[in-house]
């Protein structure tokens, strides 16, 4: 007889997510960082059919000229982000706002101040991109 781990609901209270400790991750490749500090952190909260991750970055502008690897749902928890597509469409999102970055999107990801987000990504695509 084998024991099964208890399956429980994961609460995603925004205040708790803002206070949660994250783990340092390797910097972006230098050629992707157009300006700012190349320092960021993350914590994987759930891995199932989809992955839920907290991500935080110091102020920076990131070049996303290589097509975005997956569809990504984002909820801004701290700071703001300005997404500018290669066609020039500019969108700004602040605390409490959410958006979806579609697979294949290209442009710049500008975090003018320290920035934290909760992201949700399909598991298979996440695994492929983390390679």
């Amino acid at each position: 007889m084998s024991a099964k781990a208890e399956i429980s609901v994961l609460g995603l209270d925004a205040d708790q997510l803002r206070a949660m400790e994250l783990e340092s991750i390797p910097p972006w490749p230098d050629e992707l960082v157009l300006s700012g500090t190349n320092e960021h952190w993350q914590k994987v909260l759930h891995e199932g059919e989809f992955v839920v991750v907290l991500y935080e970055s110091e102020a920076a502008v990131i070049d996303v000229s290589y097509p975005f690897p997956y569809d990504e749902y984002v909820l801004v928890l701290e700071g703001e982000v300005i997404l500018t597509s290669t066609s020039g469409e500019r969108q700004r999102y602040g605390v409490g706002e959410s958006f979806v970055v579609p697979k294949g999107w290209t442009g710049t990801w500008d975090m003018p101040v320290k920035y934290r987000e909760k992201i949700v990504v399909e598991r298979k695509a996440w695994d492929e991109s983390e390679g």
Side-chain angles (χ1 to χ4, degrees), residues 89-116:
E89 181 184 5
R90 183 180 157 113
Q91 298 170 293
R92 182 205 163 279
Y93 299 94
V95 175
E97 295 181 308
S98 58
F99 57 95
V100 173
V101 180
K103 181 177 181 176
W105 183 86
T106 57
T108 58
W109 191 287
D110 180 0
M111 300 160 288
V113 295
K114 191 167 190 174
Y115 173 75
R116 184 178 279 216

Side-chain angles (χ1 to χ4, degrees), residues 20-23 41-46 52-55:
M20 194 173 284
E21 285 283 324
L22 307 184
E23 299 146 9
W41 306 263
Q42 76 177 23
K43 181 175 182 109
V44 176
L45 301 175
H46 172 79
V52 179
V53 180
L54 286 181
Y55 173 81

